Amino acid sequence: MKVKVAAKAGFCFGVKRAVDIARKCLHDRDGPVYTLGPLIHNDQVIEALAREGIGSVNDLDEINGPGTVIIRSHGVVPEVLRRAEQKGLDLVDATCPFVRKVQRTVRDLVQQDIPVVVVGDPKHPEVEGIVGWSGGKAMVVADADQAKKLEKYHEIGVVAQTTQRQNNFDAVVKVLKDSGSRVQVYNTICLATAERQKEAQELAQQVDAVLVLGGKNSANTAKLAQICRTAGKPVYRVETAEEIDFAWLKGLRTVGVTAGASTPGWIIEEVSCRMMDFEETNKEEVMETQVEEQ
Ligand code: F3S
């Protein structure tokens, strides 16, 4: 069985940067280090960081006393940054620079009194943060159907959650333009996401089945799986190598492996090792069957 691992699988620039920043804080700073919310959507990495001494809180009120608080790559609403400073905490902002660009874009549009639409999932922390930077004024739409229900504006700005699919963003932009508004389009889709999605699509067409690695709560991993499924091949989502069921692999000639942006390289390596284990087990089983037949 051949295993094809997508070249761009795993940690993106922003996630790697956030993890590196967190580890550097632990090394360089005195006192406890916390992340506000899980640093990334990957339980195995969060557990590893916790073992190293980096705690996680869901609310700043859980921190009593001095310490360092790290803002994760998704970013937060500006109010949280203010509260951390008021509490006298050392603030380290690991918001991904690409997310920060979206936050600044909505803030600038609102300052110019231009209504702004965010294409994305309103419940995703990145989108909640972006809306916060608009002073709560940005309108969030998930897709073209929701965009059709918006009021008509003379002028409107549109940005994307960084992990949006290009065709969904384009469809919303088309609806806004067709409504007669003057539309300022800011394509804020992150290249890392677009590259991973394109690669996953191509990979799924070349293999018999795809393993998609990543946290169960990772939106970009879910999107990769969704894209792979459109190729009509079986798609299996796993967080760790142990979750791979050898029964899935029986009779396959080629298996593709891709991974969400918050999946570390060591999980991808463990999955490759598990595939080798499968090869070994499979070979032994074939040999045993041949011996029995003789
Ligand atoms: Fe940043 Fe793109 Fe990753 S926005 S966190 S580099 S997916």
Side-chain angles (χ1 to χ4, degrees):
M1 186 185 69
K2 237 169 104 184
V3 180
K4 281 190 174 188
V5 181
K8 297 269 168 27
F11 271 9
C12 63
F13 156 76
V15 165
K16 182 177 182 308
R17 180 176 170 272
V19 174
D20 289 347
I21 287 174
R23 288 201 165 115
K24 193 164 182 308
C25 283
L26 193 64
H27 184 263
D28 294 352
R29 292 176 183 243
D30 293 329
V33 175
Y34 309 95
T35 65
L36 186 57
L39 189 63
I40 62 174
H41 283 154
N42 186 290
D43 289 348
Q44 290 68 39
V45 174
I46 301 301
E47 284 160 19
L49 291 174
R51 281 196 298 272
E52 290 169 33
I54 300 171
S56 170
V57 291
N58 289 319
D59 194 285
L60 292 173
D61 290 339
E62 292 171 42
I63 306 175
N64 299 309
T68 300
V69 65
I70 301 164
I71 303 302
R72 55 193 179 167
S73 55
H74 293 320
V76 289
V77 299
E79 173 60 19
V80 171
L81 304 179
R82 275 194 291 274
R83 272 180 58 216
E85 271 166 14
Q86 277 163 9
K87 274 181 81 91
L89 292 163
D90 279 336
L91 189 67
V92 176
D93 192 353
T95 304
C96 174
F98 299 123
V99 175
R100 199 173 298 138
K101 193 171 155 221
V102 195
Q103 296 172 341
R104 290 191 179 137
T105 303
V106 298
R107 181 198 61 192
D108 295 349
L109 284 165
V110 166
Q111 277 171 0
Q112 297 165 61
D113 275 335
I114 298 172
V116 55
V117 170
V118 184
V119 184
D121 171 2
K123 294 202 185 90
H124 192 281
E126 178 192 323
V127 175
E128 289 173 346
I130 293 167
V131 172
W133 282 84
S134 74
K137 291 184 177 161
M139 299 164 276
V140 184
V141 298
D143 54 27
D145 285 341
Q146 290 188 3
K148 282 180 191 153
K149 293 181 190 141
L150 291 174
E151 202 183 305
K152 307 270 177 289
Y153 295 94
H154 167 67
E155 186 166 16
I156 196 162
V158 56
V159 299
Q161 180 180 354
T162 54
T163 49
Q164 272 295 297
R165 290 191 71 178
Q166 188 65 51
N167 55 4
N168 192 46
F169 181 67
D170 292 344
V172 171
V173 170
K174 185 174 183 311
V175 168
L176 297 175
K177 284 188 173 168
D178 288 352
S179 75
S181 299
R182 217 173 109 205
V183 187
Q184 290 194 29
V185 181
Y186 297 90
N187 184 347
T188 50
I189 295 174
C190 167
L191 210 59
T193 306
E195 281 172 351
R196 270 170 185 68
Q197 293 180 352
K198 185 167 172 278
E199 224 186 20
Q201 197 166 26
E202 288 166 359
L203 181 73
Q205 278 154 6
Q206 297 161 14
V207 296
D208 299 322
V210 191
L211 291 175
V212 182
L213 323 180
K216 297 265 187 292
N217 51 355
S218 157
N220 76 81
T221 306
K223 277 206 182 97
L224 284 181
Q226 187 193 340
I227 288 167
C228 291
R229 274 188 205 105
T230 58
K233 310 287 171 62
V235 173
Y236 304 103
R237 265 187 79 173
V238 293
E239 281 194 347
T240 61
E242 294 78 60
E243 289 176 25
I244 297 170
D245 183 343
F246 284 169
W248 301 340
L249 308 175
K250 287 232 161 105
L252 301 182
R253 279 170 305 149
T254 323
V255 176
V257 176
T258 187
S262 35
T263 310
W266 57 266
I267 290 191
I268 302 173
E269 279 158 27
E270 280 183 3
V271 164
S272 299
C273 291
R274 177 107 170 119
M275 304 295 232
M276 285 191 246
D277 286 350
F278 166 74
E279 286 285 89
E280 285 306 311
T281 319
N282 203 33
K283 254 190 236 157
E284 280 164 21
E285 278 178 16
V286 171
M287 277 166 60
E288 273 168 26
T289 318
Q290 284 170 346
V291 170
E292 274 168 23
E293 281 172 1
Q294 283 164 9

